[in-house]
Amino acid sequence: MSWQEFVDGQLMIEISPGHRLSGAAIMGLDGYVWAQSEAFPLAKPEEIAAIVKGFSDATELAQHGIFVGGAKYMLIQGEPGQVIRGKKGQSGLTIKKTGSALVIGVYDEPVAPSECNIVVEKLGDYLIEQGI
């Protein structure tokens, strides 16, 4: 299965009737995009570097926010070394870290944060099980 097929078939699926992520991507820890949905914002290398650093020390993300494609999300929750969750008004994001990649899902209402979490973390856990 190609990386684009993971994005299209695992992340951009209809979660519940009428609910799907607004954007998703899988990228290397170096910020190189492996695959992304059409609507995923263009992330800058320095934004991805800050996110990767935030998995080991979330202080900067907590103080200054999570930036993806220039959009600022407030750090609301996370699991050190595993998951970062952010919120911006009625939208938000979930980022799952694997051994060599980031799985990122962005949502807008009516998608609930928990729906985004489940979709992103499920794929991330699968990739971890595969050694990726």
Side-chain angles (χ1 to χ4, degrees):
M1 185 179 279
S2 74
W3 293 114
Q4 192 62 50
E5 289 173 316
F6 277 112
V7 170
D8 297 339
Q10 302 293 318
L11 297 173
M12 296 304 295
I13 59 167
E14 188 171 54
I15 302 167
S16 60
H19 294 195
R20 66 179 67 236
L21 299 180
S22 54
I26 302 172
M27 57 183 62
L29 298 179
D30 59 0
Y32 180 77
V33 177
W34 296 0
Q36 67 183 39
S37 65
E38 189 174 309
F40 188 79
L42 180 62
K44 300 173 187 167
E46 60 270 17
E47 293 172 337
I48 301 307
I51 290 168
V52 171
K53 181 180 176 192
F55 279 100
S56 57
D57 179 7
T59 305
E60 289 291 316
L61 297 180
Q63 291 177 349
H64 303 289
I66 306 161
F67 287 87
V68 176
K72 180 180 179 181
Y73 297 84
M74 178 179 66
L75 178 67
I76 57 168
Q77 186 183 42
E79 298 167 29
Q82 297 180 42
V83 180
I84 291 173
R85 299 181 186 100
K87 188 93 169 119
K88 180 184 94 164
Q90 302 302 316
S91 63
L93 56 73
T94 302
I95 307 168
K96 174 75 176 182
K97 181 179 178 284
T98 73
S100 58
L102 299 176
V103 180
I104 305 173
V106 179
Y107 67 90
D108 293 301
E109 281 195 345
V111 174
S114 60
E115 292 176 309
C116 181
N117 296 344
I118 289 167
V119 170
V120 170
E121 293 177 43
K122 182 179 176 182
L123 178 57
D125 288 341
Y126 171 78
L127 295 177
I128 289 169
E129 290 171 8
Q130 302 307 306
I132 299 171

